[in-house]
């Protein structure tokens, strides 16, 4: 088979819609990523959390519906938005560094011993940054294909998992993180996503038809 035929291994499009020699675009891969927690807990070093991450869920956003009943039907508009919680599973290390950091963050939110809570959200909220990487390492600096920053984060729950004589798996800690807002940061050729500058038009018509 001629190598040139590999450029045809994708969905055929009209010649004016796509580069005919482009071929199929390379996908982002789930296992190439890193997660960074800023202002999490009180210890200065938080890199152990990044190294012990097992998986991380990307953000999900949804809009409330605004219904406008009219003559023979109903029109729909986008109302207030809400970011869903994200989840992160961590390996609990033998040195206790991960469980200590998680415990510190929980104590910032609520002092369980003294039964005293933080005075304001500013006192305990943290920022979470995660990046989808290109696979680089060592002498080849990794390039972030996608970068997200989650602002106003706090732990909704921390599940310390179970222990089991019949299992050879590592002990894990499952975190559920709530946050106030999220932005995609422009990186390299990936461009901007959520948070990008998009021009606004002014109109007084509900429907998209003149």
């Amino acid at each position: 088979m001629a190598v040139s035929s590999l450029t045809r291994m994708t969905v055929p499009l009209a010649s004016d819609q796509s580069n005919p020699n482009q071929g199929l675009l390379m996908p982002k891969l789930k296992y190439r990523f890193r997660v960074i927690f800023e202002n999490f807990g009180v210890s200065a070093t938080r890199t152990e959390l990044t190294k012990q991450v097992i998986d991380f869920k990307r953000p999900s956003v949804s809009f409330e519906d605004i219904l406008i009943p009219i003559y023979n039907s109903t029109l729909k508009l986008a109302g207030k938005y809400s970011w869903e919680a994200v989840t992160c599973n961590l390996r609990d290390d033998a040195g206790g560094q991960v469980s200590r950091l998680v415990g510190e963050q929980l104590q910032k939110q609520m002092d369980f011993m003294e039964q005293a809570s933080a005075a304001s959200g500013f006192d305990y909220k943290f920022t979470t940054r995660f990046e989808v990487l290109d696979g680089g390492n060592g002498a080849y600096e990794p390039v972030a294909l996608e970068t997200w920053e989650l602002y106003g984060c706090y732990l909704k729950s921390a599940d310390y998992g179970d222990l089991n004589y019949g299992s050879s798996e590592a002990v894990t800690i499952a975190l559920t993180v709530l946050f106030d807002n999220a932005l995609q940061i422009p990186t390299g050729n990936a461009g901007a996503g959520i948070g990008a500058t998009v021009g606004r038009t002014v109109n007084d018509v509900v429907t998209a038809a003149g």
Side-chain angles (χ1 to χ4, degrees), residues 11-20 22:
V11 179
L13 299 172
S15 60
D16 62 342
Q17 293 179 318
S18 178
N19 183 346
Q22 175 178 287

Side-chain angles (χ1 to χ4, degrees), residues 85-88 126 154-159 174-178:
V86 298
T87 57
C88 180
F126 58 93
Y154 70 93
L155 295 183
K156 177 182 179 181
S157 67
D159 184 347
L175 304 180
T176 300
V177 180
L178 283 177

Side-chain angles (χ1 to χ4, degrees), residues 39 105 108-109 117-127 151-155 180:
N39 199 38
Q105 177 59 35
K108 285 175 68 174
Q109 297 177 196
S117 61
S120 71
F122 181 83
D123 295 338
Y124 60 82
K125 287 191 174 183
F126 58 93
T127 299
Y151 303 110
C153 300
Y154 70 93
L155 295 183
D180 298 320

Side-chain angles (χ1 to χ4, degrees), residues 46-74:
R46 304 178 180 92
T47 54
E48 296 306 324
L49 285 181
T50 298
K51 293 188 288 185
Q52 297 299 110
V53 170
I54 299 173
D55 57 57
F56 187 89
K57 183 183 180 300
R58 294 202 295 177
S60 174
V61 64
S62 60
F63 290 84
E64 295 179 3
D65 297 329
I66 299 176
L67 303 181
I68 304 180
I70 55 174
Y71 181 48
N72 276 334
S73 61
T74 301

Side-chain angles (χ1 to χ4, degrees), residues 14-168:
S15 60
D16 62 342
Q17 293 179 318
S18 178
N19 183 346
N21 297 319
Q22 175 178 287
L24 189 64
L25 294 175
M26 176 65 189
K28 297 169 184 173
L29 301 179
K30 283 189 174 183
Y31 61 86
R32 294 176 178 173
F33 72 100
R34 64 185 170 199
V35 185
I36 301 168
F37 300 90
E38 299 178 359
N39 199 38
F40 187 98
V42 296
S43 295
T45 303
R46 304 178 180 92
T47 54
E48 296 306 324
L49 285 181
T50 298
K51 293 188 288 185
Q52 297 299 110
V53 170
I54 299 173
D55 57 57
F56 187 89
K57 183 183 180 300
R58 294 202 295 177
S60 174
V61 64
S62 60
F63 290 84
E64 295 179 3
D65 297 329
I66 299 176
L67 303 181
I68 304 180
I70 55 174
Y71 181 48
N72 276 334
S73 61
T74 301
L75 293 176
K76 302 177 183 66
L77 296 175
K80 290 186 176 182
Y81 70 90
S82 176
W83 291 102
E84 304 299 328
V86 298
T87 57
C88 180
N89 289 307
L90 305 165
R91 283 183 296 272
D92 193 3
D93 64 291
Q97 298 183 64
V98 169
S99 59
R100 181 174 66 251
L101 282 164
V102 172
E104 289 176 355
Q105 177 59 35
L106 292 171
Q107 279 291 106
K108 285 175 68 174
Q109 297 177 196
M110 174 68 187
D111 189 327
F112 294 93
M113 179 63 184
E114 299 298 333
Q115 288 295 294
S117 61
S120 71
F122 181 83
D123 295 338
Y124 60 82
K125 287 191 174 183
F126 58 93
T127 299
T128 303
R129 177 185 295 109
F130 71 91
E131 301 167 323
V132 179
L133 304 177
D134 71 338
N137 204 355
Y140 301 94
E141 187 74 17
V143 175
L145 304 178
E146 176 183 273
T147 301
W148 284 79
E149 288 188 350
L150 313 184
Y151 303 110
C153 300
Y154 70 93
L155 295 183
K156 177 182 179 181
S157 67
D159 184 347
Y160 286 86
D162 64 340
L163 302 175
N164 189 337
Y165 282 121
S167 175
S168 297

